[in-house]
Amino acid sequence: MFSWEKQRRKKKTRRRHMAPPPIVIKVWRLNVLSSTDGDIENDPADLASSDQSRAALGARALARHNRPHAVAFRNGVFSIGLLMGMQLFDQEPAIRTPLLSRRVKNALWHRAVFSFVLVIEVAVMLLLAWAAVMSIGTLFGVSGGGAAIVWANLALAAFIALGLIMLLGGAWFAYYIRQETMQITHFILIGLGVAGTLLVNMPAQ
């Protein structure tokens, strides 16, 4: 009886040594799957799901890339909303004036006005950059001085017009009552544009 149990235990130990460990089985399964990738045809449903996942990842990456721009745009619209909605007049001490009838609380108008100002700013920036390039070109003899002056006057005129638009728009909503610093900034911008125009058109001696 003792010898029979001893033999059965020996057989169990032999089977344990002969059986591959679980890690080897997993590696073997992975090798088999990877080796049959070229032989087994891909399921269209799997391909569609993979394409959709890639598209989703691309959309998320694009959203992360555009997030700072979207945040900056929302902040600009919020600032325009404070101005056009005249919300600063409600702060303590509140100001009650007939000018509050000019309030514009529609968010669509806030986005439209901010987009309009943003387009003008980009145009002015491009004009100023091109005028600077033309002015530098005159130093190296690449462009003529007359063309550089024309482009400089055009860019400075657009710069002054931008300052006037912001100044008049803010004055319509009486921003000088609670945002006098912004009004002073707009006056400074207009003054810089006028000074630059006088400097550019100063006759050479």
Side-chain angles (χ1 to χ4, degrees):
M1 186 71 180
F2 176 79
S3 61
W4 180 78
E5 289 180 357
K6 191 174 182 180
Q7 290 178 359
R8 189 176 65 178
R9 290 178 182 177
K10 287 182 179 180
K11 289 181 180 180
K12 287 183 179 181
T13 55
R14 288 177 183 175
R15 290 177 182 175
R16 290 176 183 175
H17 288 299
M18 291 175 64
I23 298 176
V24 176
I25 294 175
K26 291 180 180 179
V27 173
W28 178 78
R29 288 179 180 176
L30 290 175
N31 291 332
V32 171
L33 292 174
S34 60
S35 62
T36 56
D37 287 342
D39 298 331
I40 300 175
E41 296 182 357
N42 293 324
D43 190 1
D46 296 337
L47 290 176
S49 61
S50 62
D51 292 339
Q52 291 175 358
S53 61
R54 290 173 185 171
L57 290 175
R60 290 177 184 174
L62 185 62
R64 291 194 196 99
H65 176 72
N66 292 331
R67 190 175 297 170
H69 304 286
V71 171
F73 185 83
R74 286 197 298 268
N75 290 337
V77 173
F78 177 75
S79 299
I80 292 293
L82 286 178
L83 174 65
M84 298 179 64
M86 304 176 73
Q87 298 180 17
L88 296 179
F89 284 74
D90 298 331
Q91 293 181 356
E92 296 296 334
I95 298 176
R96 294 291 175 255
T97 172
L99 295 175
L100 292 176
S101 60
R102 299 178 180 178
R103 277 181 168 176
V104 178
K105 295 184 178 181
N106 192 343
L108 293 178
W109 278 106
H110 301 166
R111 295 190 187 96
V113 171
F114 179 73
S115 301
F116 173 71
V117 174
L118 187 62
V119 169
I120 296 178
E121 288 179 349
V122 172
V124 171
M125 179 192 67
L126 294 176
L127 287 173
L128 289 172
W130 182 248
V133 170
M134 295 293 290
S135 299
I136 295 173
T138 58
L139 299 177
F140 298 96
V142 178
S143 59
I149 292 175
V150 170
W151 280 105
N153 285 326
L154 180 61
L156 290 170
F159 184 79
I160 295 171
L162 175 62
L164 285 173
I165 289 173
M166 292 189 293
L167 179 66
L168 295 176
W172 174 259
F173 295 104
Y175 74 148
Y176 46 82
I177 296 178
R178 285 285 172 88
Q179 295 174 291
E180 63 277 0
T181 305
M182 187 180 296
Q183 185 187 41
I184 294 172
T185 303
H186 294 161
F187 274 120
I188 293 175
L189 291 176
I190 295 172
L192 289 174
V194 173
T197 303
L198 294 175
L199 182 63
V200 167
N201 294 279
M202 185 178 296
Q205 297 180 352

